[in-house]
Amino acid sequence: MKIVYKVTWPNGKIYVGSDLTDSIAYFGSPQALLIEADFPTRASRRRMSVCREILWESDKATDAEVRRKEREFIRLLGGQ
């Protein structure tokens, strides 16, 4: 199964990505320095929940189709 997903961070920031293997453990490629900047205090790091939501899935789509869907969702959700 190939998917396009959205990860929502506790501060409301979102990341849209795709996974061609539907790995339950895959959350994109977060950049540690950017996350650290968003949560600079010990208090802000004590308890966090990150939500991963599948926006679209297909067992027949080509890799190119998945990437196209990913870009569509990035444009659609970019204003959030």
Side-chain angles (χ1 to χ4, degrees):
M1 188 70 63
K2 298 175 183 184
I3 64 169
V4 175
Y5 62 90
K6 175 177 81 170
V7 173
T8 305
W9 289 87
N11 61 359
K13 289 187 177 182
I14 64 167
Y15 172 83
V16 174
S18 61
D19 182 0
L20 304 178
T21 64
D22 194 22
S23 169
I24 190 65
Y26 187 68
F27 279 75
S29 303
Q31 296 180 2
L33 291 177
L34 294 177
I35 296 169
E36 289 169 6
D38 284 342
F39 301 94
T41 66
R42 292 301 313 147
S44 68
R45 298 176 183 195
R46 289 216 178 269
R47 185 178 180 113
M48 296 174 61
S49 295
V50 177
C51 177
R52 179 178 177 257
E53 174 186 356
I54 295 175
L55 302 173
W56 178 87
E57 62 188 6
S58 174
D59 60 354
K60 296 179 170 79
T62 65
D63 292 0
E65 289 171 318
V66 175
R67 300 285 189 225
R68 186 169 54 250
K69 278 303 228 188
E70 177 184 13
R71 288 189 302 274
E72 285 177 22
F73 278 107
I74 290 170
R75 284 191 295 274
L76 179 68
L77 299 172
Q80 286 189 358

